[in-house]
Amino acid sequence: MPELPEVETVRRTLKNVIIGKKIKQINVFYDKMLLNETRESFKAKLQGKTILNISRYAKYLIFEFEDVSLVSHLRMEGKYFISLSSIPYQKHEHIIFEFEDGWSLRYHDTRKFGTMEIVSKGSEFKAKGLDTIGLEPFETEFTLTYLKDKTHRLSRSIKSALLDQKIVAGLGNIYVDEILFLSKIYPGKKCLELTDNEILLIVENSTIVLDKAIKLGGTTIRSYTSSLGVTGRFQNDLCVHTLDGEPCKVCNTLIEKTKIGGRGTYYCPKCQRM
Ligand SMILES: [Zn+2]
């Protein structure tokens, strides 16, 4: 699943090539991914419009037009590709935005879990998912006070709390494992047992890990690659995620894998004591 750094990589890549392009025609091949729209209303709201900007919040891409924004969530396998409009429809392409200049933006999704929602400009946080989302680590309000307030009464594990988009926006399985490793916190530790210092470490390491991942173009794990074939390099810098059986970079103890909150979780049993 693309996480915040991968979505940011997609945003930057797309921004370089499609800003200013005007949509001539839209082909929808799978309309169940459209929220609150029929195929016809979706086309009517976007055809003839120009993409003025692409922004992002957490794992949501936001295509900004004159009067509306298109909020896109890639979910498990969604990808965007740019190709000439003359190239025929390819398997798993669900929506094709054809531009006036002969190029097209194609949404490709083998799992079909991605969603698209049109909202009026300025109402992006009314889109489904964004209406309940927590702060992303890059927000200045994402502080010890914020995270402590959201978690200090919870008996659930810190790992599952950090994966909860209503608490922190944009963190997924890979980066939560890395953040907890750097913070020397066992992922199964209950939120209510965390010290202020531990919460502060999580706050600080969240931006450090995400910043670094964005600089390296995100992580390419399993089937996920960003649009235009851009491959992330952050997987070479992972400390624990997917590294079970490998020696810890800090203490040489072998990294272990367990399940916490139903998710595969990697940690160093020495650096991250229970
Ligand atoms: Zn270690």
Side-chain angles (χ1 to χ4, degrees), residues 181 184 247-253 255 268-272:
F181 172 78
K184 298 193 185 306
C248 167
K249 291 178 181 178
V250 173
C251 73
N252 265 332
T253 304
I255 301 298
C268 170
K270 189 170 173 196
C271 294
Q272 298 166 272

Side-chain angles (χ1 to χ4, degrees), residues 1-4 58-60 73 132-135 137 142 147 151 154 156-180 187-188 191 202 206 241 258-266:
M1 183 191 292
E3 298 194 20
L4 189 158
K59 304 180 203 176
Y60 293 81
H73 197 301
T132 55
I133 205 158
L135 289 177
F142 186 75
L147 192 56
T151 57
L154 304 178
R156 65 202 278 203
S157 68
I158 182 60
K159 164 119 190 192
S160 80
L162 293 176
L163 287 172
D164 184 340
Q165 301 298 301
K166 291 174 186 158
I167 296 175
V168 188
L171 293 183
N173 207 26
I174 302 168
Y175 298 106
V176 169
D177 280 359
E178 295 299 304
I179 290 161
L180 291 174
C191 291
I202 292 171
S206 295
H241 193 78
T258 184
K259 262 203 170 169
I260 292 174
R263 304 297 301 274
T265 298
Y266 302 82

Side-chain angles (χ1 to χ4, degrees), residues 16 71 147 237 255:
N16 285 331
V71 179
L147 192 56
D237 277 63
I255 301 298

